[in-house]
């Protein structure tokens, strides 16, 4: 039996049938959740950046060309509506659930695949990415396929597997550079833990060295040279501070759900130190990938803006590890194995659901449409301050708009220049977005809140938009006697 193949002796017609039906239900759930309001969520500025870079594809250099090229082709036959901008992420999201099941099934067995697929199907992070016109679900999908092909190529030592892996790595890196972050650890792990679970340096086969490791080293060297020549490495000397670096891992943990991450961390350690054969190899792969992926993100975040989404290529390892760990622990019990796996899955699902329900409530984004609609209806000729300008130009291009700086002196100068103005402000849980100190207090002292747009959430996140009228005059709506 190969390390990545299911033990056929454990299969029965009934279990295969039950697993097939369960997976079909999980896949249907994933489709329905990702279709919900797919075309209705408000457009976010990053989605407009996708539209811009796709329409102008080929006119300027871009570090992430692959997804934009696919969107460029799609826009040749579809309109640039939110629905068609989000069709790609939706499709990649559903395929990601499918391939996650396949990875879990081949490494551990059907139960692990089902658990992993179910958790990713209801994941607030993956669900958000599946309804967001960016490349993140493609990064996830490609990462799952790479992990799957990596194990298969090592076990079979076939040229086709090595070549396919190189192609996938290239496509993934051209989709987003963060795709490569966990791959350093994943590839290093298989050099130190064999498929039989032996720990120690294991040299690649001649075929693997010629068709994969050698070309990979050449591509890596070219990449390092590019980083130096482009000035990116030099920019790392311009630190943004320790806080920015330390903030990135908690953000990823929150997106994924702390209980799920905790089980994955414990499960990965259990498989690495207590597992045997290919289980130990998977534990090493997961932990090495998490360490290098998170470490490189922290290093990059010290000098430039890095977001939790940059960890998307690590996410499949979390769900498959949870599934595999749960299955292996249940298998050690003499009875009630299915019951134990079901209870664990339901408990983890309960931990994930607040984020999932919250996303279904507001799409995990700000909704500026009511504020701009109100301004246009009441007094669209008055000055408007807000952020971001890309959203204003999309929904209300005729307004007299200027990008706001949440600086009391800037706001005071604007008030002195105008008898009154509208201010569209965004608030997260930590306060006003872009507040450099005292901006929110200035609003309270000099402005009147006219409208608030916010849908209820069950998690700690906040996406609130407030419309204020600033100035001594009453708001235009009141002056008109409305």
């Amino acid at each position: 039996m190969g390390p990545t193949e299911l033990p056929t002796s454990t299969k029965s017609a009934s279990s295969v049938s039950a697993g097939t039906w369960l997976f079909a239900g999980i896949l249907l759930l994933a489709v329905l959740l990702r279709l919900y309001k797919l075309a209705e969520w408000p457009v976010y500025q990053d989605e407009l950046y996708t539209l811009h870079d796709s329409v102008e594809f080929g006119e300027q250099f871009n570090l992430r060309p692959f997804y934009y090229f696919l969107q460029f082709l799609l826009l040749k036959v579809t309109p640039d509506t939110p629905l068609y901008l989000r069709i790609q992420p939706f499709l990649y999201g559903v395929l990601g659930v499918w391939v996650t099941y396949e990875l879990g099934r081949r490494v551990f067995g059907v139960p692990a695949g089902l658990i992993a697929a179910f958790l990713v199907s209801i994941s607030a992070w993956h669900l958000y990415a599946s309804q967001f016109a960016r490349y993140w679900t493609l990064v996830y999908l490609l990462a799952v396929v790479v992990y799957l092909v990596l194990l298969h190529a090592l076990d079979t030592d076939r040229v086709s597997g090595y070549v396919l892996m190189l192609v996938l790595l290239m496509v993934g890196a051209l989709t987003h550079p963060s795709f490569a972050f966990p791959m350093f650890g994943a590839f290093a792990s298989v050099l130190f833990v064999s498929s039989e679970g032996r720990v120690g340096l294991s040299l690649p086969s001649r075929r693997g060295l010629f068709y994969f490791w050698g070309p990979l080293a050449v591509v890596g060297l070219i990449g390092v040279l590019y980083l130096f020549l482009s000035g990116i490495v030099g920019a790392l000397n311009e630190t943004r501070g320790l806080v920015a670096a330390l903030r990135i891992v908690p953000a990823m943990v929150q997106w994924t759900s702390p209980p799920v991450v905790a089980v994955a961390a414990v499960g990965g350690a259990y498989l690495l130190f207590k597992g045997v054969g290919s289980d130990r190899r998977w534990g090493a792969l997961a932990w090495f990938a998490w360490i290098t992926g998170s470490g490189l993100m922290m290093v990059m975040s010290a000098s430039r803006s890095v977001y939790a989404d940059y960890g998307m290529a690590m996410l499949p390892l979390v769900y498959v590890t949870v599934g595999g760990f749960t299955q292996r622990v249940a298998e050690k019990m003499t009875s009630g194995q299915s019951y134990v796996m079901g209870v664990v899955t339901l408990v983890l699902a309960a931990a994930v659901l607040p984020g999932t329900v919250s996303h279904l409530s507001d799409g995990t984004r700000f909704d500026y449409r009511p504020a701009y609609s109100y301004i246009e209806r009441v007094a669209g000729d008055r000055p408007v301050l807000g952020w971001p300008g890309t959203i204003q130009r999309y929904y209300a291009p005729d307004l007299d708009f200027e990008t706001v700086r949440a600086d009391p002196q800037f706001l005071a100068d604007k008030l002195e220049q105008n008898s009154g103005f509208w201010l569209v402000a965004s608030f997260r849980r930590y306060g006003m977005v872009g507040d450099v100190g005292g901006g929110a207090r200035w609003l309270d002292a000099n402005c009147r809140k006219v409208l608030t747009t916010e849908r209820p959430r069950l998690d700690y996140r906040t996406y609130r938009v407030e419309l204020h009228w600033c100035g001594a005059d009453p708001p235009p709506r009141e002056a008109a006697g409305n």
Side-chain angles (χ1 to χ4, degrees), residues 99 103 138-154 161 164-173 179-180 182-184 186-187 190 212 282 285 313 316-317:
V99 183
L103 179 59
L138 181 56
V139 169
Y140 180 97
L141 174 61
L142 290 170
V144 182
V145 177
V146 165
Y147 300 137
L148 190 59
V149 173
L150 171 63
L151 299 178
H152 181 72
L154 292 173
L164 176 59
M165 193 155 46
L166 285 173
V167 172
L168 290 169
L169 286 172
M170 184 177 299
V171 172
F179 173 87
M183 300 304 164
F184 290 105
F187 297 148
V190 299
F212 178 68
W282 179 264
L285 188 152
L317 301 173

Side-chain angles (χ1 to χ4, degrees), residues 181 227 232 236 240 294-306 310:
F181 290 177
L227 292 177
I232 293 178
L236 295 179
R240 294 171 63 225
S294 300
L296 287 171
M297 287 178 65
M298 291 177 67
V299 170
M300 295 297 293
S301 67
S303 62
R304 59 189 61 241
S305 296
V306 173
Y310 283 36

Side-chain angles (χ1 to χ4, degrees), residues 49-62:
Y49 300 154
T50 293
L51 176 61
H52 175 272
D53 289 342
S54 300
V55 170
E56 298 190 357
F57 179 80
E59 297 182 11
Q60 56 186 357
F61 176 76
N62 196 306

Side-chain angles (χ1 to χ4, degrees), residues 125-126 129 136-137 139-140 143 178 252 297 308-316:
W125 187 358
H126 194 268
W136 296 117
T137 52
V139 169
Y140 180 97
S178 65
M252 291 189 293
M297 287 178 65
D309 289 316
Y310 283 36
M312 184 64 77
M314 293 185 284
L315 195 58

Side-chain angles (χ1 to χ4, degrees), residues 427-432 457 459-464:
F427 288 83
R428 295 190 185 272
R429 184 167 293 274
Y430 60 75
M432 185 177 177
R457 294 185 65 92
D459 58 6
Y460 88 105
R461 290 172 176 262
T462 295
Y463 294 92
R464 184 172 74 255

